[in-house]
């Protein structure tokens, strides 16, 4: 079992850290929020007074932070590397810009450390259940070394390639998810307005070329499928604001790589307008309601 | 075995008629193109000199025509119903506007006939192999009666609901298909431009929430998947112009039903521009090349 | 002064007819709404019991109807031409599909009549004030003949070309108007969110390359400009639903002419969603609120 | 007359510096390109060996660089402020992200300097003729002080507000320009495909509500207007890649300010695809050709 430092105990990081403890690892944790630290302490973690203190004895350093600036600030501006033990492996599980992930990994390498980006999908539910998906960018050796650790928190652990490709795969996947969610919403809404029963339409498209994940497991029209957010007033699930954040990352990547993504960029504008009209906390399948409207 | 009239022996209708003959049915056929008639004659069909002559003895009348005006002209303006035997069942397999399908079915009913819309998917290959998908709009009784006939030409026979819903289901499905094909192209193109291997990215997204039919069986990036149009210079498959035609029908339905379909309408504009730039005959997955460009 | 038949006395047609009477013309009118007929009668019009009766003595027949099917029904299905005096000139002022306008004009020609399409802009206010703009499609001779009649109802009378081009010019203009209205809304909203004063930003763009009609005379942000709908809770002006109708016509024309109009088609989807969310009766500059939201 | 340091002598900066000399100012210049330095020397500038040397004696420091990272590197990473004379006023004329402009201005203030952002429009032609437009963000006092200097290089000098608002106004204006250029292209292309003469359509829309700068002075359809890029094979003018760069800045601002800009984001994707298909160096009005195609 390993000595692990865990920095960032939010809605995702908190339960992830507890799952590492349950798997038998020794954890030293840090967060700015005292309540989050208390919670981890009750779960068996050793609470540190600073990131520097948290990482000092660790063989693995794991961070789970809200955005690129937080990650760059922790590792580069505060130069956390100075406090990390020689030979430790660093994994950042935050969802951030690929360019940012590469910049931090390069800085790590320059100070003699291996670092992987390992963004997750699966949401708070997956974090609690230990069934997250991790997409890892880094060397094959680093991937093999981090895999058993991540396995305590997740079910599927993918190796996407070199540094940054974990982030690339995540933002490409989520952009595609947003697109087929909106597309599925448009198709169902159009069908209903043209007089077809939405359950029948869903069944037909599920076994035809329109088939996609949103249609199969996450139908956005209330009443078509049980136990999905659409049938629970769009509560739970993956929030509109979180989807907008990921779409923002994909658009930043499109701008810097000079890539044309007409549907992806439109998806961001639609989710942003939906959020601005008061739906930022609803599940992202509520985009159907935004298009369908109330009148 | 049944007496069937078949009107419209194009790339799709021709092989469909031959499959009916192979299944043991007696066919009386009509088309404006003499070569198409010759071909059907060699396959065992009785050639008629007019649609009226073709339908006179038939228990089933099947039509397969290019667009709404052709179908309305045949049945309504020329009033083909006058020549059809009492009790015969009419099935139009053309892909046309739902409003148009309903108008023709209503005219049929007023003259005492049952009529179903039964658009197909599966392309010329499916028509030849007898593996088409039929989506049928009409009464349950009519559906049960036409199903064994359609089974000689196709594998999956769906009942979508009342008159017109066959067309509705088809255009909703194909709009959704166009959207996730473009979305998949954007995601793969963005991924490649950001440094991830497209095969790895495809594998990851196929088992993640980005999953969709285009990604699973029709990858648009050359070299990722064997035996798809993308790996054969975008030849074969479902042409850009045909997709643009279906997207035009979905947009007409959106306009008349006052439905907001931002991604669907943008999909049409992108396919139209792609066609206008000389790619109308390529497979529709070539939209990736339109976005990626040559420089 | 002329004998004029006027068919269709709605919000636009009513005041237009009154302006013809004020200019000294003799009017025979028809509408399905008794209140509209009463109003015209009080203004000095002779009320007819049918379109056929209205047109019998007229040298000019003018119609102002809601949509293509109404116009086709009046002239073609009911064959109003049979009741029109030989040598009379027909002008349809409705905003309808160019294809439909051409079809009706062709039917008129076949029965020996000259017919022009003459859609208007300027709204109810312009109809009342007699300051409408007319865009006329038809022969040069017909244009010269109808011009003095239209001048009693409008200020600018343009000749756009042959039959149907009046409609073409109108829907192209209104599509462009919708696009720069949305674009102006996006620019102002982005500017405000990035910390610039919207009046200053408007002044700068008005004398720069961003300049356009929406910015100059119809600023969509409340408080920037006086006496525009945005500063009157988006009341008055040109309604969202009317803009959506015109954008629907432009998209039908784009579909039938195989033209790629990505921004035009997106404009329709945005106005449609805005309407579906309860804003169909607001002025079309309220699209800014749709994007800006309330939170 | 003033002592001015000018850093960045590219296609824009080179002629701008020469105009300052012509106005009687004393210039000390720096660029990494020896040819650019030679050219400035022949024009009467004193050539420095480093930015630090260039600024040492200057009362005004002006920079004209390609992008945000160049500007941040010069002022912040290399801390050019250390070499600047107390009381000197700094003006950065580069087009960069508003966030970046604000960051640099804040760093300047912290070291006791006033700094304005003063991006330009008018292109290389305007730089040579001294007819540029400057949009200045900074304090009223700084604006009054820099205005006479900028007047030697430009005709219109606007004060947009505090630091960063010069950049905000520029990217909002250029986003709106891109939108009405594409919209004008769509309207003209649709009109032509529907049978109206494009000159007639342009004349009508110029005096109607479709009116905008692209239509009035920069018609994108070859042959409609003389002496515009469209009538010179889309040569000269403002390049597709430059427009795409500015649209990228506007999208980065939209992402960071959580603003929904559906047409603006689509404009970027269209210009990007156009560039990727080999047209990056053409004038930006060539987007009409991208939509119209060659077939």
């Amino acid at each position: 079992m390993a000595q692990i430092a865990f920095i960032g105990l939010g809605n995702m990081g908190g339960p992830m850290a507890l799952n590492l403890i349950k798997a038998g690892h020794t954890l030293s944790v840090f967060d700015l929020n005292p309540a989050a630290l208390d919670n981890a302490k009750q779960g068996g973690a050793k609470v540190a007074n600073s990131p520097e203190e948290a990482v000092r004895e660790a063989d693995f350093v794991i961070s789970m932070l809200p955005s690129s600036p937080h990650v760059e600030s922790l590792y580069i501006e505060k130069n956390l590397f100075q406090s990390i033990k020689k030979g430790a492996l660093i994994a950042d599980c935050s969802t951030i810009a690929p360019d940012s992930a590469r910049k931090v990994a390069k800085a790590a390498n320059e100070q003699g450390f291996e670092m992987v980006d390992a963004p997750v999908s699966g949401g708070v539910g997956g974090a609690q259940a230990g069934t997250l998906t991790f997409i890892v960018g880094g060397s094959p050796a680093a991937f093999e070394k981090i895999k058993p650790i991540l396995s305590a928190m997740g079910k599927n652990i993918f190796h996407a390639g070199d540094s940054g490709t974990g982030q690339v795969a995540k933002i490409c996947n989520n952009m595609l998810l947003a697109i087929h969610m909106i597309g599925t919403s448009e198709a169902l809404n159009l069908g209903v307005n043209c007089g077809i029963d939405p359950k029948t339409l869903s069944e037909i498209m599920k076994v035809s070329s329109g088939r996609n994940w949103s249609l199969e497991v996450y139908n956005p029209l209330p009443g078509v499928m049980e136990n999905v957010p659409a049938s629970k007033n769009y509560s739970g699930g993956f929030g509109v604001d979180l989807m907008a954040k990921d779409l923002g990352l994909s658009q930043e990547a499109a701008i810097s790589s000079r890539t044309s993504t007409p549907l992806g960029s439109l998806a961001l504008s639609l989710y942003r307008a939906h959020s601005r009209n008061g739906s930022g906390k609803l599940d992202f399948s509520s985009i159907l309601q935004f298009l369908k409207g109330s009148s």
Side-chain angles (χ1 to χ4, degrees), chain A:
Chain A
M1 294 297 104
Q3 283 274 359
I4 302 176
F6 203 108
I7 299 166
L9 302 166
N11 291 333
M12 294 295 294
M16 287 166 70
L18 293 180
N19 279 325
L20 286 171
I21 296 171
K22 280 181 206 153
H25 299 294
T26 304
L27 254 77
S28 170
V29 302
F30 181 73
D31 195 284
L32 291 171
N33 178 357
L37 288 174
D38 271 1
N39 206 38
K41 193 175 183 178
Q42 287 173 19
K46 187 182 152 204
V47 166
N49 291 308
S50 68
E52 288 76 12
E53 185 187 322
V55 302
R56 203 143 298 155
E57 308 294 323
D59 298 312
F60 296 90
V61 174
I62 299 178
S63 50
M64 188 65 180
L65 300 168
S67 70
S68 305
H70 297 87
V71 176
E72 293 194 26
S73 167
L74 175 68
Y75 289 105
I76 297 181
E77 288 168 38
K78 298 186 184 160
N79 199 356
L80 186 65
F81 302 120
Q82 288 184 317
S83 310
I84 301 179
K85 223 168 66 177
K86 204 181 154 185
L89 177 60
I90 309 168
D92 179 50
C93 295
S94 320
T95 294
I96 63 173
D99 289 348
S100 195
R102 283 170 174 144
K103 184 175 165 188
V104 176
K106 186 158 168 276
N109 291 343
E110 285 166 2
Q111 303 208 22
F113 295 100
E114 280 253 52
M115 181 167 184
V116 300
D117 47 298
V120 306
S121 65
V124 172
Q128 290 168 340
T131 58
L132 293 169
T133 294
F134 287 85
I135 315 183
V136 181
S139 72
F143 175 71
E144 290 308 325
K145 199 168 159 197
I146 198 70
K147 197 176 172 183
I149 304 296
L150 301 180
S151 297
M153 302 180 283
K155 216 169 49 178
N156 298 303
I157 324 286
F158 298 112
H159 187 209
D162 290 340
S163 271
T165 56
Q167 302 293 351
V168 172
K170 172 148 191 207
I171 63 178
C172 288
N173 181 76
N174 281 18
M175 182 178 81
L176 184 47
L177 166 61
I179 290 170
H180 66 56
M181 177 56 82
I182 302 173
T184 299
S185 297
E186 293 182 12
L188 291 172
N189 192 26
L190 178 61
V192 169
N193 286 351
C194 291
I196 193 170
D197 176 77
K199 286 192 185 182
T200 305
L201 177 57
S202 296
E203 290 309 311
I204 291 172
M205 295 197 297
K206 272 162 68 176
V207 293
S208 303
S209 52
R211 185 178 75 222
N212 66 75
W213 185 92
S214 295
L215 190 66
E216 290 177 298
V217 307
Y218 215 96
N219 199 296
L221 194 71
V224 172
M225 201 174 270
E226 284 180 15
N227 289 320
V228 292
S231 295
K232 296 183 283 187
N233 295 312
Y234 298 108
S235 62
F238 183 48
V240 164
D241 282 343
L242 293 171
M243 179 51 99
K245 182 209 156 191
D246 285 3
L247 289 169
L249 291 173
S250 74
Q251 286 310 296
E252 287 174 353
I255 293 168
S256 71
S257 66
R258 305 185 178 209
T259 306
S260 179
T261 56
L263 300 195
S265 66
L266 182 49
L268 172 56
S269 283
L270 295 171
Y271 273 109
R272 196 58 90 193
H274 188 35
S275 172
R276 287 279 185 178
N277 280 285
S279 303
K281 302 304 173 205
L282 295 183
D283 179 73
F284 83 115
S285 62
S286 63
I287 196 71
L288 186 142
Q289 292 298 331
F290 180 67
L291 299 174
K292 179 175 175 288
S294 50
S295 57

